[in-house]
């Protein structure tokens, strides 16, 4: 009995320890994400007039792929006028860390003018409309105004520093991959028409060649081993007929053109066409 209680106690302690360990790791993971991995919104210095608002957004685009394309500024000012200012602007969609400088018109002046109230707050809402993703950033109105007035970051410089470099090759390919080594040097000259050394040998044309004298054959036959390649029938169809499994000599075939018969015999890859001259 005592052994059973001891075993149960050990198992219980092990289970409690496991739960505590998992909880601690979960808290640490959440804290890490909150401190280092959550999106970061920064107010930058606008290059426009008093209606301009510049900002940047950094986030883990590989973990959270999205194309942000709009920003919304909302003032909540319950104890003074205006009680609320709500203005939205769209921009070219960005799928990774980016900065924009936008013209918010007179609404921005109205929003900033109401930021002196201690009870007021400003919400910044960045939206990726096609991905149904929204990031919210809350500021005390006075804090928002002070960040706007003290902003120093430059939009163009920010985008330049955070631009993805697609120029770097993903793979390195050796310069001579798939290229054979050059042939070893040789003193032998190739006897081809493009070689000037043998140009004279190829100067004649087919018209200058001596005509071939035709002859008749007395007999032509096919020996066993035909592979039905159709070469003979293509050359002299009046004599040769290729069947499904062999070749035959057509009945009453003309035997007066020995040149074509000889050509068919020479074209036969298995040399089964035989003939005798008349």
């Amino acid at each position: 009995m005592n052994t059973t209680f001891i075993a149960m106690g050990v198992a219980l302690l092990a289970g409690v320890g496991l739960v505590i360990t998992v909880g601690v790791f979960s808290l640490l993971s959440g804290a890490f994400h909150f401190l280092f991995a959550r999106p970061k919104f920064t107010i930058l210095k606008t290059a426009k007039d008093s209606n301009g608002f510049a900002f940047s957004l950094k986030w883990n685009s590989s973990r959270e792929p999205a194309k942000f394309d709009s920003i919304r500024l909302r003032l909540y000012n319950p104890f003074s006028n205006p009680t609320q200012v709500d203005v939205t602007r769209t921009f070219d969609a960005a799928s990774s860390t980016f900065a924009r400088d936008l013209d918010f018109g007179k609404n921005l002046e109205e929003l900033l003018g109401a930021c002196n109230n201690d009870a007021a707050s400003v919400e910044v809402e960045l939206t990726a409309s096609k991905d149904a993703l929204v990031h919210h950033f809350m500021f005390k109105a006075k804090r928002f105004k002070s960040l706007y007035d003290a902003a120093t970051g430059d939009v163009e410089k920010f985008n330049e520093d955070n631009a993805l470099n697609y120029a770097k090759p993903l793979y390195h390919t050796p310069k001579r991959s798939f290229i054979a080594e050059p042939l070893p040097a040789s003193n032998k000259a190739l006897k081809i028409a493009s070689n000037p050394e043998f140009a004279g040998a190829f100067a004649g044309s087919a018209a200058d060649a001596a005509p071939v004298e035709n002859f008749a054959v007395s007999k032509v036959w096919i020996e066993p081993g035909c592979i039905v390649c159709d070469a003979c029938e293509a050359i002299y169809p009046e004599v040769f007929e290729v069947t499904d499994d062999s070749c035959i000599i057509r009945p009453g075939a003309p035997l007066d053109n020995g040149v074509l018969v000889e050509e068919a015999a020479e074209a036969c890859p298995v040399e089964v066409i035989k003939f005798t001259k008349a």
Side-chain angles (χ1 to χ4, degrees), residues 36 57 64 89 94 121 144 151 174 190 208 216 226 231 242 251-252 260 274:
F36 303 106
L57 178 67
E64 192 177 51
R89 290 291 182 270
S121 62
F144 182 86
L190 295 177
D208 300 329
C226 176
V242 178
L260 286 181
K274 305 297 179 182

Side-chain angles (χ1 to χ4, degrees), residues 33 45 52 55 57 155 215:
H33 178 74
K45 185 176 181 60
F55 64 94
L57 178 67
V155 170
F215 59 90

Side-chain angles (χ1 to χ4, degrees), residues 96-223:
S96 60
T97 296
F98 69 95
R100 294 289 186 270
D101 192 355
L102 306 175
D103 188 342
F104 275 76
K106 296 297 182 181
N107 297 98
L108 183 64
E109 289 188 28
E110 186 180 13
L111 184 149
L112 294 174
C115 283
N116 294 322
N117 194 320
D118 291 333
S121 62
V122 175
E123 179 186 18
V124 178
E125 184 180 283
L126 278 157
T127 303
S129 56
K130 291 186 178 180
D131 303 289
L133 179 64
V134 181
H135 282 310
H136 299 269
F137 304 91
M138 293 298 300
F139 299 88
K140 286 289 188 180
K142 283 188 175 182
R143 173 65 175 164
F144 182 86
K145 179 69 163 54
S146 66
L147 290 173
Y148 179 86
D149 293 337
T152 57
D154 180 78
V155 170
E156 290 187 6
K157 183 69 166 56
F158 182 92
N159 285 330
E160 182 180 337
D161 292 343
N162 291 276
L164 295 178
N165 186 4
Y166 293 104
K168 295 181 180 179
L170 296 177
Y171 304 100
H172 173 69
T173 304
K175 290 183 179 179
R176 299 197 61 187
S177 62
F178 309 111
I179 300 178
E181 293 296 326
L183 293 173
S186 174
N187 294 325
K188 294 182 179 180
L190 295 177
K191 191 173 182 179
I192 56 177
S194 59
N195 189 337
E197 185 177 345
F198 298 100
F202 298 92
S205 63
D208 300 329
V212 178
E213 185 178 352
N214 204 349
F215 59 90
V217 297
S218 59
K219 183 180 179 182
V220 58
W221 69 96
I222 308 295
E223 292 189 344

Side-chain angles (χ1 to χ4, degrees), residues 226-247:
C226 176
I227 59 173
V228 293
C229 68
D230 293 336
C232 57
E233 185 175 355
I235 295 172
Y236 204 176
E238 291 82 0
V239 173
F240 302 98
E241 179 182 356
V242 178
T243 63
D244 292 338
D245 54 2
S246 186
C247 178

Side-chain angles (χ1 to χ4, degrees), residues 71-83:
I71 181 173
R72 183 181 186 183
L73 301 181
R74 287 196 288 185
L75 170 74
Y76 300 97
N77 187 23
F79 303 114
S80 181
N81 286 320
T83 57

